[in-house]
Amino acid sequence: MDYVDFMRDVGPGELGDYLSIMAPTADLEAMRDADAETLGDHLASAAPTADLGDVGVFDMAIETRDAQHGWEIETVPKVGRLAGASPRLLCWAVSSDANQYCWDLADDSMPIIVFDRGFLEWTAYDLSFTDFVVGMIQDSIPGYAGDRIASHLGWQMPVTYKVHKRDRW
């Protein structure tokens, strides 16, 4: 997974003061292979991350529990192939608009599933972590109506990445 390489080489942080990319709370491969009950038990017992000062506190377990709860709210539309789906969500990022970026661990291709609070809908994208984040920066994700980092920042380039106040994962 390119996300694992990114966490190892760069670490969790803030992209353009807009997207908080979180470090995993456990071994991603083990979480991917865990059944739903084991995954839920792990996330329920995970400790919150340390205080990260001015970048805020975002924890993969806490955000995942929030995303799973949000999925269960029946009034929020699930777009396209997500209608009737039962994903196993693992949240890897949150925007300053409180949008959540997750993987579906139930699907071997681990598509990215986004909860957009502005549009109040869930959508899925068959992109890698890197392709998705670069697409957000370049506004180049087909059919994507959510966060566009560069336009949010008034097209100020380059978009910066601030590593959180802890060592790489």
Side-chain angles (χ1 to χ4, degrees):
M1 292 180 59
D2 53 349
Y3 167 83
V4 173
D5 293 336
F6 182 85
M7 284 295 116
R8 183 182 54 244
D9 297 341
V10 180
E14 298 285 323
L15 184 61
D17 291 328
Y18 192 66
L19 186 71
S20 178
I21 299 175
M22 300 172 287
T25 57
D27 176 37
L28 286 178
E29 288 303 317
M31 291 176 81
R32 181 178 180 181
D33 294 336
D35 59 45
E37 183 176 347
T38 303
L39 177 63
D41 289 346
H42 167 74
L43 293 172
S45 65
T49 52
D51 181 10
L52 299 175
D54 61 346
V55 297
V57 177
F58 295 102
D59 178 85
M60 184 177 268
I62 292 168
E63 291 297 333
T64 296
R65 285 194 307 259
D66 185 51
Q68 289 171 336
H69 174 73
W71 179 267
E72 294 166 6
I73 298 171
E74 294 180 14
T75 57
V76 178
K78 281 74 173 182
V79 177
R81 71 178 193 229
L82 293 179
S86 297
R88 286 183 31 231
L89 301 174
L90 178 63
C91 190
W92 55 268
V94 170
S95 75
S96 62
D97 292 337
N99 296 336
Q100 295 172 308
Y101 301 83
C102 306
W103 288 294
D104 179 2
L105 300 180
D107 186 322
D108 288 339
S109 68
M110 288 180 61
I112 292 174
I113 297 179
V114 178
F115 177 53
D116 187 308
R117 291 187 193 277
F119 291 107
L120 286 177
E121 68 182 18
W122 291 88
T123 52
Y125 302 91
D126 291 313
L127 295 170
S128 70
F129 165 80
T130 302
D131 290 339
F132 191 85
V133 172
V134 168
M136 287 178 71
I137 294 169
Q138 296 178 339
D139 192 14
S140 62
I141 300 172
Y144 182 63
D147 298 311
R148 291 171 174 85
I149 293 172
S151 61
H152 173 76
L153 300 173
W155 294 99
Q156 298 170 359
M157 293 292 181
V159 175
T160 59
Y161 188 77
K162 291 188 268 184
V163 177
H164 287 173
K165 295 179 181 178
R166 59 181 169 172
D167 293 335
R168 292 183 302 253
W169 176 63

